[in-house]
Amino acid sequence: MKIHNLFRQFWRRKPHPSPDVSSASMHQMHVALSMVAQTQAQELSCDEVYALLDIFADRVKRGEDAAALMPLVHQHLAMCPDCREEFEALLRAMEAK
Amino acid sequence: MSSRTDAEWCTELGGAAPDAALADLRGLLLRGLQFALVSYRVTENDLEDFVQDGLLKILHELSSYRGDARFTTWAHKVCVRVALTELRRRRWRDVSLDDLIVANEMSDFTPDVLMDHSADPGQTAPVQMMMATIQRIIAEELTERQRTAMMAVMQGGMPLQEVAERMGTNRNALYKLLHDARQRLQKRMMQGDDTPRTARNV
Protein backbone atom coordinates (compact mmCIF):
# COMPACT_ATOMS: atom_id res chain seq x y z
CA MET A 1 0.00 0.00 0.00
CA LYS A 2 1.32 3.42 -0.85
CA ILE A 3 2.37 5.57 2.07
CA HIS A 4 -0.08 8.36 1.22
CA ASN A 5 -2.97 5.88 1.40
CA LEU A 6 -1.81 4.69 4.80
CA PHE A 7 -1.33 8.26 5.88
CA ARG A 8 -4.81 9.26 4.80
CA GLN A 9 -6.30 6.15 6.34
CA PHE A 10 -4.53 6.90 9.59
CA TRP A 11 -5.57 10.48 10.04
CA ARG A 12 -9.17 9.63 9.15
CA ARG A 13 -9.32 7.42 12.21
CA LYS A 14 -10.89 8.74 15.36
CA PRO A 15 -8.32 10.04 17.86
CA HIS A 16 -9.33 7.33 20.31
CA PRO A 17 -9.50 4.05 18.42
CA SER A 18 -10.45 0.73 19.97
CA PRO A 19 -9.18 0.05 23.50
CA ASP A 20 -6.63 -2.40 22.12
CA VAL A 21 -4.75 0.24 20.23
CA SER A 22 -5.56 3.21 22.43
CA SER A 23 -2.62 4.86 24.15
CA ALA A 24 -1.36 8.32 24.90
CA SER A 25 1.35 8.05 22.29
CA MET A 26 -1.07 6.74 19.71
CA HIS A 27 -3.17 9.80 20.27
CA GLN A 28 -0.03 11.94 20.15
CA MET A 29 0.92 10.45 16.81
CA HIS A 30 -2.57 10.99 15.49
CA VAL A 31 -2.38 14.63 16.48
CA ALA A 32 1.04 15.02 14.87
CA LEU A 33 -0.09 13.44 11.61
CA SER A 34 -3.25 15.50 11.58
CA MET A 35 -1.11 18.60 11.92
CA VAL A 36 1.04 17.51 9.00
CA ALA A 37 -2.09 16.82 6.98
CA GLN A 38 -3.58 20.25 7.74
CA THR A 39 -0.41 22.16 6.98
CA GLN A 40 -0.96 25.08 4.60
CA ALA A 41 1.53 26.77 2.30
CA GLN A 42 0.95 30.10 4.01
CA GLU A 43 0.45 30.26 7.75
CA LEU A 44 0.38 33.20 10.15
CA SER A 45 3.15 33.65 12.69
CA CYS A 46 2.49 33.68 16.44
CA ASP A 47 2.88 37.48 16.52
CA GLU A 48 0.40 37.93 13.69
CA VAL A 49 -2.10 35.71 15.47
CA TYR A 50 -1.55 37.51 18.77
CA ALA A 51 -2.43 40.80 17.06
CA LEU A 52 -5.73 39.29 15.85
CA LEU A 53 -6.59 37.08 18.80
CA ASP A 54 -8.84 39.58 20.58
CA ILE A 55 -10.84 40.19 17.40
CA PHE A 56 -11.18 36.45 16.89
CA ALA A 57 -12.26 35.95 20.51
CA ASP A 58 -14.87 38.74 20.28
CA ARG A 59 -16.34 37.05 17.21
CA VAL A 60 -16.49 33.71 19.00
CA LYS A 61 -18.24 35.34 21.93
CA ARG A 62 -20.74 37.02 19.63
CA GLY A 63 -21.58 33.62 18.22
CA GLU A 64 -20.14 34.39 14.80
CA ASP A 65 -18.39 31.76 12.73
CA ALA A 66 -14.92 33.05 13.60
CA ALA A 67 -13.22 30.08 11.96
CA ALA A 68 -14.83 30.89 8.62
CA LEU A 69 -14.32 34.62 8.98
CA MET A 70 -10.67 34.32 10.05
CA PRO A 71 -9.50 30.95 8.69
CA LEU A 72 -5.79 31.69 9.02
CA VAL A 73 -6.14 32.45 12.73
CA HIS A 74 -8.24 29.34 13.19
CA GLN A 75 -5.66 27.27 11.36
CA HIS A 76 -2.78 28.63 13.43
CA LEU A 77 -4.65 27.85 16.64
CA ALA A 78 -4.95 24.25 15.49
CA MET A 79 -1.19 24.10 14.91
CA CYS A 80 0.28 26.10 17.79
CA PRO A 81 -0.22 24.85 21.37
CA ASP A 82 1.04 28.11 22.92
CA CYS A 83 -1.38 30.32 21.00
CA ARG A 84 -4.21 27.84 21.54
CA GLU A 85 -3.58 27.86 25.29
CA GLU A 86 -3.68 31.66 25.31
CA PHE A 87 -6.87 31.73 23.25
CA GLU A 88 -8.63 29.28 25.55
CA ALA A 89 -7.51 31.22 28.63
CA LEU A 90 -8.70 34.45 27.01
CA LEU A 91 -12.16 33.00 26.41
CA ARG A 92 -12.36 31.96 30.06
CA ALA A 93 -11.21 35.41 31.22
CA MET A 94 -13.96 36.98 29.12
CA GLU A 95 -16.54 34.80 30.90
CA ALA A 96 -15.70 36.31 34.29
CA LYS A 97 -18.15 38.86 35.61
CA MET B 1 -17.59 50.19 35.97
CA SER B 2 -17.47 48.15 32.80
CA SER B 3 -20.06 50.47 31.23
CA ARG B 4 -17.19 52.51 29.81
CA THR B 5 -16.93 52.51 26.06
CA ASP B 6 -13.68 51.45 24.45
CA ALA B 7 -12.86 55.08 23.72
CA GLU B 8 -13.55 56.07 27.34
CA TRP B 9 -11.20 53.39 28.63
CA CYS B 10 -8.43 54.68 26.39
CA THR B 11 -9.07 58.32 27.17
CA GLU B 12 -9.14 57.79 30.92
CA LEU B 13 -6.16 55.45 31.09
CA GLY B 14 -4.09 57.72 28.88
CA GLY B 15 -5.29 60.92 30.59
CA ALA B 16 -4.15 62.96 33.54
CA ALA B 17 -6.34 61.16 36.11
CA PRO B 18 -6.28 57.46 35.30
CA ASP B 19 -6.69 56.17 38.88
CA ALA B 20 -10.38 55.25 38.74
CA ALA B 21 -10.05 53.52 35.37
CA LEU B 22 -6.92 51.74 36.55
CA ALA B 23 -8.64 50.46 39.67
CA ASP B 24 -11.62 49.22 37.65
CA LEU B 25 -9.42 47.60 35.05
CA ARG B 26 -7.34 45.96 37.74
CA GLY B 27 -10.46 44.41 39.28
CA LEU B 28 -11.69 43.24 35.91
CA LEU B 29 -8.35 41.66 34.98
CA LEU B 30 -8.05 39.98 38.36
CA ARG B 31 -11.45 38.35 38.05
CA GLY B 32 -10.64 37.37 34.49
CA LEU B 33 -7.35 35.75 35.40
CA GLN B 34 -8.89 33.92 38.35
CA PHE B 35 -11.31 32.37 35.92
CA ALA B 36 -8.79 31.85 33.14
CA LEU B 37 -6.23 30.13 35.37
CA VAL B 38 -8.61 28.09 37.47
CA SER B 39 -6.94 24.82 36.49
CA TYR B 40 -3.40 26.15 37.01
CA ARG B 41 -1.49 26.13 40.27
CA VAL B 42 -1.46 29.80 41.09
CA THR B 43 -1.70 31.69 44.34
CA GLU B 44 -3.51 34.94 45.01
CA ASN B 45 -0.11 36.62 45.11
CA ASP B 46 0.70 35.19 41.69
CA LEU B 47 -2.53 36.59 40.31
CA GLU B 48 -1.84 40.00 41.84
CA ASP B 49 1.64 40.00 40.31
CA PHE B 50 0.38 38.95 36.89
CA VAL B 51 -2.26 41.66 36.91
CA GLN B 52 0.23 44.28 38.03
CA ASP B 53 2.63 43.32 35.22
CA GLY B 54 -0.29 43.14 32.82
CA LEU B 55 -1.44 46.64 33.73
CA LEU B 56 2.03 48.03 33.13
CA LYS B 57 2.15 46.36 29.74
CA ILE B 58 -1.34 47.61 28.86
CA LEU B 59 -0.40 51.18 29.69
CA HIS B 60 2.83 50.83 27.77
CA GLU B 61 1.05 49.43 24.71
CA LEU B 62 -2.09 51.54 24.94
CA SER B 63 -1.27 53.38 21.73
CA SER B 64 -1.21 50.08 19.84
CA TYR B 65 -4.88 49.39 20.65
CA ARG B 66 -6.74 50.10 17.41
CA GLY B 67 -10.29 49.55 18.53
CA ASP B 68 -10.85 46.51 16.31
CA ALA B 69 -11.78 44.42 19.37
CA ARG B 70 -13.42 45.43 22.62
CA PHE B 71 -10.94 47.19 24.87
CA THR B 72 -11.54 44.76 27.71
CA THR B 73 -10.90 41.79 25.40
CA TRP B 74 -7.64 43.36 24.28
CA ALA B 75 -6.64 44.02 27.91
CA HIS B 76 -7.46 40.44 28.92
CA LYS B 77 -5.37 39.22 26.01
CA VAL B 78 -2.34 41.19 27.16
CA CYS B 79 -2.74 40.02 30.74
CA VAL B 80 -3.23 36.37 29.77
CA ARG B 81 -0.05 36.47 27.70
CA VAL B 82 1.87 37.92 30.66
CA ALA B 83 0.57 35.26 33.04
CA LEU B 84 1.03 32.25 30.77
CA THR B 85 4.52 33.35 29.76
CA GLU B 86 5.55 33.34 33.40
CA LEU B 87 3.74 30.09 34.23
CA ARG B 88 5.40 28.28 31.31
CA ARG B 89 8.77 29.59 32.41
CA ARG B 90 8.21 28.26 35.92
CA ARG B 91 6.78 24.93 34.82
CA TRP B 92 9.70 24.12 32.49
CA ARG B 93 12.47 25.94 34.34
CA ASP B 94 14.38 22.81 35.27
CA VAL B 95 13.82 20.83 32.09
CA SER B 96 16.45 20.82 29.37
CA LEU B 97 15.93 19.65 25.81
CA ASP B 98 18.30 16.78 26.56
CA ASP B 99 16.12 15.74 29.52
CA LEU B 100 13.14 15.76 27.25
CA ILE B 101 14.88 13.68 24.62
CA VAL B 102 15.81 11.01 27.13
CA ALA B 103 12.42 11.04 28.84
CA ASN B 104 10.53 10.61 25.60
CA GLU B 105 12.99 8.43 23.74
CA MET B 106 12.91 11.10 21.14
CA SER B 107 15.02 9.21 18.68
CA ASP B 108 11.84 7.72 17.30
CA PHE B 109 8.08 8.18 17.26
CA THR B 110 7.26 4.58 18.18
CA PRO B 111 3.97 4.53 20.03
CA ASP B 112 3.33 2.24 22.99
CA VAL B 113 0.79 0.29 20.99
CA LEU B 114 3.56 -1.29 18.96
CA MET B 115 5.11 -2.59 22.15
CA ASP B 116 1.79 -4.04 23.27
CA HIS B 117 1.83 -7.68 22.19
CA SER B 118 -1.81 -8.16 23.15
CA ALA B 119 -2.91 -5.65 20.51
CA ASP B 120 -4.70 -6.95 17.43
CA PRO B 121 -2.05 -7.59 14.73
CA GLY B 122 -4.58 -6.64 12.10
CA GLN B 123 -4.64 -3.16 13.56
CA THR B 124 -1.02 -2.83 14.56
CA ALA B 125 0.49 -4.04 11.29
CA PRO B 126 -0.56 -1.00 9.21
CA VAL B 127 0.48 1.27 12.08
CA GLN B 128 3.83 -0.49 12.32
CA MET B 129 4.39 -0.13 8.60
CA MET B 130 3.43 3.49 8.72
CA MET B 131 5.65 4.22 11.70
CA ALA B 132 8.67 2.74 9.99
CA THR B 133 8.03 4.88 6.95
CA ILE B 134 7.42 8.01 8.98
CA GLN B 135 10.62 7.48 10.92
CA ARG B 136 12.53 7.12 7.70
CA ILE B 137 10.93 10.20 6.17
CA ILE B 138 11.63 12.23 9.30
CA ALA B 139 15.25 11.12 9.24
CA GLU B 140 15.63 11.87 5.54
CA GLU B 141 13.66 15.07 5.17
CA LEU B 142 14.17 17.05 8.37
CA THR B 143 17.21 18.87 9.66
CA GLU B 144 18.50 18.14 13.13
CA ARG B 145 16.98 21.39 14.42
CA GLN B 146 13.63 20.55 12.88
CA ARG B 147 13.67 17.08 14.40
CA THR B 148 14.62 18.43 17.81
CA ALA B 149 11.94 21.12 17.73
CA MET B 150 9.25 18.79 16.44
CA MET B 151 9.95 16.12 19.02
CA ALA B 152 10.18 18.62 21.89
CA VAL B 153 6.88 20.30 21.01
CA MET B 154 4.82 17.42 19.66
CA GLN B 155 6.12 14.58 21.77
CA GLY B 156 7.66 16.28 24.78
CA GLY B 157 4.83 18.78 25.15
CA MET B 158 7.20 21.66 25.80
CA PRO B 159 5.75 25.07 24.88
CA LEU B 160 7.18 26.75 21.78
CA GLN B 161 8.23 29.66 23.97
CA GLU B 162 10.45 27.39 26.05
CA VAL B 163 11.82 25.32 23.17
CA ALA B 164 12.67 28.53 21.33
CA GLU B 165 14.60 29.88 24.28
CA ARG B 166 16.61 26.67 24.59
CA MET B 167 17.36 26.64 20.88
CA GLY B 168 18.53 30.26 20.90
CA THR B 169 15.65 31.57 18.81
CA ASN B 170 12.21 33.09 19.32
CA ARG B 171 8.64 31.76 19.17
CA ASN B 172 7.94 33.16 15.69
CA ALA B 173 11.08 31.66 14.21
CA LEU B 174 10.45 28.33 15.90
CA TYR B 175 6.91 28.23 14.52
CA LYS B 176 8.37 28.86 11.06
CA LEU B 177 10.90 26.07 11.57
CA LEU B 178 8.08 23.69 12.53
CA HIS B 179 5.95 24.90 9.64
CA ASP B 180 8.75 24.18 7.20
CA ALA B 181 9.16 20.73 8.77
CA ARG B 182 5.45 19.97 8.46
CA GLN B 183 5.47 21.12 4.85
CA ARG B 184 8.39 18.84 4.01
CA LEU B 185 6.72 15.86 5.69
CA GLN B 186 3.40 16.59 4.01
CA LYS B 187 4.98 16.91 0.60
CA ARG B 188 6.93 13.69 0.94
CA MET B 189 4.01 11.73 2.39
CA MET B 190 1.59 12.89 -0.27
CA GLN B 191 3.99 11.99 -3.05
CA GLY B 192 2.99 8.38 -2.56
CA ASP B 193 6.58 7.39 -3.02
CA ASP B 194 7.88 5.57 0.03
CA THR B 195 11.10 4.46 -1.60
CA PRO B 196 14.08 5.52 0.48
CA ARG B 197 15.71 8.56 -1.01
CA THR B 198 19.11 6.89 -1.09
CA ALA B 199 17.69 3.97 -3.09
CA ARG B 200 15.95 6.31 -5.54
CA ASN B 201 19.12 8.23 -6.11
CA VAL B 202 21.17 5.17 -7.00
Side-chain angles (χ1 to χ4, degrees), chain A residues 44-52 76 83, chain B residues 81 170-172:
Chain A
L44 297 181
S45 70
C46 294
D47 280 353
E48 288 169 326
V49 167
Y50 179 72
L52 296 167
H76 182 99
C83 291
Chain B
R81 165 66 68 95
N170 60 49
R171 187 162 143 185
N172 268 340

Side-chain angles (χ1 to χ4, degrees), chain A residues 69-85:
Chain A
L69 292 166
M70 302 173 77
L72 291 177
V73 174
H74 177 70
Q75 202 264 350
H76 182 99
L77 294 177
M79 296 289 141
C80 179
D82 290 30
C83 291
R84 189 165 57 248
E85 182 183 36

Side-chain angles (χ1 to χ4, degrees), chain B residues 136-152:
Chain B
R136 197 183 66 235
I137 291 174
I138 286 173
E140 287 179 3
E141 294 289 337
L142 303 190
T143 65
E144 187 61 38
R145 278 177 74 78
Q146 286 174 326
R147 277 197 296 273
T148 300
M150 191 168 249
M151 297 290 186

Side-chain angles (χ1 to χ4, degrees), chain B residues 175-192:
Chain B
Y175 185 84
K176 180 73 171 65
L177 185 83
L178 289 167
H179 177 221
D180 290 344
R182 283 188 278 109
Q183 276 190 303
R184 291 189 74 87
L185 293 178
Q186 186 190 55
K187 187 178 173 188
R188 176 74 182 274
M189 288 173 170
M190 297 312 287
Q191 275 173 352

Side-chain angles (χ1 to χ4, degrees), chain A residues 29 40 43 47 50 58, chain B residues 70 73 77 131 172 175 179:
Chain A
M29 187 174 68
Q40 304 290 318
E43 294 185 4
D47 280 353
Y50 179 72
D58 272 350
Chain B
R70 290 178 60 202
T73 306
K77 176 184 78 169
M131 290 316 302
N172 268 340
Y175 185 84
H179 177 221

